[in-house]
Amino acid sequence: MDYMLRALALGRRSLGQTSPNPAVGAVIVKDGAIVGEGRTQPPGSWHAEVMALRQAGGKARRATMYVTLEPCCHFGRTPPCTQAIISAGIVEIHVATSDPNPLVCGKGVAELEAAGIKTYLGERAEEAREVNEAFFKFIAMRLPFVTAKLAMSLDGKTATRTGESKWITGEAARRYSHSLRRTFDAIMVGVNTILADDPQLTAPRSRRQPLRVIVDSQGRTPPPAKLLQMPGKTLVATTRAAEAGGIDRLRGAGAEVAVLPEREGLVDLGALLKLLGQRDITSVLVEGGGTLLGSFFDQRLVDKVLAFVAPVIIGGEKARPAVGGQGVAELARALRLERVRVRRLGEDIMVSGYAESQEGIHGLQEE
């Protein structure tokens, strides 16, 4: 059995539930059998290594641990995992990748080695960085990792010329798309999406709902909007162009309102991402609409793209495009994706890839 692969699967199950901490998985093996497993718990609770040690109990002595990220060696909300590993009597540890946090990077492995534990670094390292791509960017830049999600026809439309959009993609694609939400810290849409579709933007079967972010430069979000009635928090990002009375009504409806600088008459998305980073939001799923996505692409703020494409042709110059904005004047300046993967979901396909300029961010995140 590939024990590190099992640890990676455990880590993925914690995505969206642990921020600003990374989503880590750990497996303890003794005499060829798994005696303990663990994954990172919500902030303030135990890390993956301690969860696995607690399950293993006395069987951890003289056992081997597989963990997807370098164990922490400093006091935070919880004690150092390195000391727990040493005290439990682990004799060998396989670490997929180093922790980019300067408080840990290299120091956790060094402490384990100094205690006489055989330490191996680099097993399935690329996959481990893929799982925690948002954490790696956040540590480096204090900004969230931005994933743009598109659901469109084969000719790149998200609605007909009359505005009809339900449903372009099939049930399998929609179900997978909704399941993605629980793996993100925040879900972002533009106000036009709220006005046209009145979505709930909830994450099904998730104990922690992502922050819902509405980009609304003029404060047009209606207080009765469904997402304001749902569990979890909603942030409306607006500008000074919004009327004070409208802001007060939104706050009265339970929304948090942030008045941000403008960029060409719209919310400055760079300022918004900086604000989210300050709130320890490490990952954002931008679900639309075309105007908001166009701004993200025009400003080169997208790290990853998930495009759900249905085998249907809508046509029409007035049909709504998946991506608006100014676009590029020359193909040489078009945003190209790297590390592209294609997956079939029912009759639809999902194309995923990374913006070519984001060379420091590795891998793909999969369910």
Side-chain angles (χ1 to χ4, degrees):
M1 181 178 181
D2 190 326
Y3 300 115
M4 188 63 78
L5 193 63
R6 172 59 184 168
L8 287 166
L10 289 168
R12 286 191 182 95
R13 288 171 56 188
S14 287
L15 282 170
Q17 312 298 308
T18 65
S19 294
N21 296 330
V24 179
V27 174
I28 299 174
V29 179
K30 188 172 186 178
D31 299 327
I34 294 177
V35 296
E37 293 185 333
R39 58 189 177 94
T40 311
Q41 299 301 296
S45 190
W46 299 112
H47 293 183
E49 300 93 322
V50 174
M51 294 296 293
L53 289 169
R54 292 175 67 179
Q55 187 178 99
K59 295 180 181 179
R61 187 156 298 278
R62 303 202 62 77
T64 298
M65 174 178 282
Y66 295 79
V67 62
T68 59
L69 190 69
E70 182 176 11
C72 67
C73 55
H74 64 97
F75 280 89
R77 294 182 179 180
T78 57
C81 289
T82 50
Q83 288 303 308
I85 293 168
I86 293 168
S87 298
I90 293 290
V91 295
E92 182 177 311
I93 186 167
H94 296 248
V95 179
T97 185
S98 300
D99 189 326
N101 188 337
L103 294 174
V104 181
C105 189
K107 299 174 184 176
V109 165
E111 187 172 315
L112 295 172
E113 290 177 330
I117 298 176
K118 293 182 181 179
T119 305
Y120 302 89
L121 178 66
E123 185 176 336
R124 292 192 177 275
E126 183 177 353
E127 293 163 82
R129 288 192 290 269
E130 291 170 0
V131 172
N132 279 303
E133 58 194 3
F135 174 73
F136 273 70
K137 178 185 177 181
F138 183 74
I139 289 296
M141 304 177 67
R142 309 309 292 184
L143 292 171
F145 187 91
V146 177
T147 298
K149 192 192 83 173
L150 316 174
M152 59 189 179
S153 64
L154 199 58
D155 57 338
K157 309 295 185 182
T158 61
T160 68
R161 58 185 172 81
T162 63
E164 183 182 350
S165 61
K166 295 182 179 179
W167 297 103
I168 291 177
T169 55
E171 182 178 349
R174 295 198 303 272
R175 186 167 57 248
Y176 180 81
S177 176
H178 288 161
S179 72
L180 284 172
R181 289 177 180 168
R182 74 170 189 82
T183 68
F184 286 84
D185 294 345
I187 310 298
M188 186 182 296
V189 296
V191 65
N192 289 331
T193 296
I194 302 298
L195 297 174
D197 301 330
D198 197 16
Q200 296 181 6
L201 299 183
T202 54
R205 298 179 299 279
S206 177
R207 61 184 177 184
R208 182 187 186 193
Q209 289 295 319
L211 174 68
R212 297 181 290 267
V213 181
I214 306 172
V215 182
D216 182 2
S217 302
Q218 297 181 349
R220 295 185 293 145
T221 301
K226 288 180 182 177
L227 80 174
L228 294 177
Q229 321 304 321
M230 295 295 107
K233 298 180 180 180
T234 299
L235 170 68
V236 178
T238 189
T239 69
R240 293 181 179 178
E243 295 182 359
I247 291 177
D248 290 341
R249 286 191 291 273
L250 285 171
R251 287 173 173 159
E256 177 185 353
V257 180
V259 180
L260 297 173
E262 295 181 12
R263 177 171 173 157
E264 298 179 355
L266 301 175
V267 171
D268 185 327
L269 296 178
L272 174 55
L273 292 177
K274 184 177 180 180
L275 172 65
L276 294 176
Q278 292 170 348
R279 296 177 56 144
D280 287 340
I281 298 295
T282 66
S283 60
V284 177
L285 180 64
V286 183
E287 292 203 1
T291 300
L292 180 62
L293 286 167
S295 294
F296 267 98
F297 282 113
D298 284 346
Q299 296 175 41
R300 291 296 199 262
L301 295 174
V302 174
D303 297 298
K304 180 178 181 179
V305 175
L306 294 175
F308 297 83
V309 185
V312 60
I313 303 294
I314 292 178
E317 293 182 358
K318 295 184 179 180
R320 190 186 306 162
V323 179
Q326 295 182 353
V328 298
E330 302 171 353
L331 281 176
R333 296 183 58 81
L335 179 65
R336 294 189 180 276
L337 301 182
E338 299 176 333
R339 302 188 298 281
V340 175
R341 295 180 185 175
V342 179
R343 174 176 176 177
R344 185 161 182 171
L345 297 166
E347 293 298 315
D348 307 321
I349 62 170
M350 181 184 74
V351 180
S352 59
Y354 291 79
E356 59 185 347
S357 60
Q358 304 301 313
E359 296 178 355
I361 305 299
H362 298 279
L364 291 162
Q365 161 184 314
E366 296 183 344
E367 289 291 295

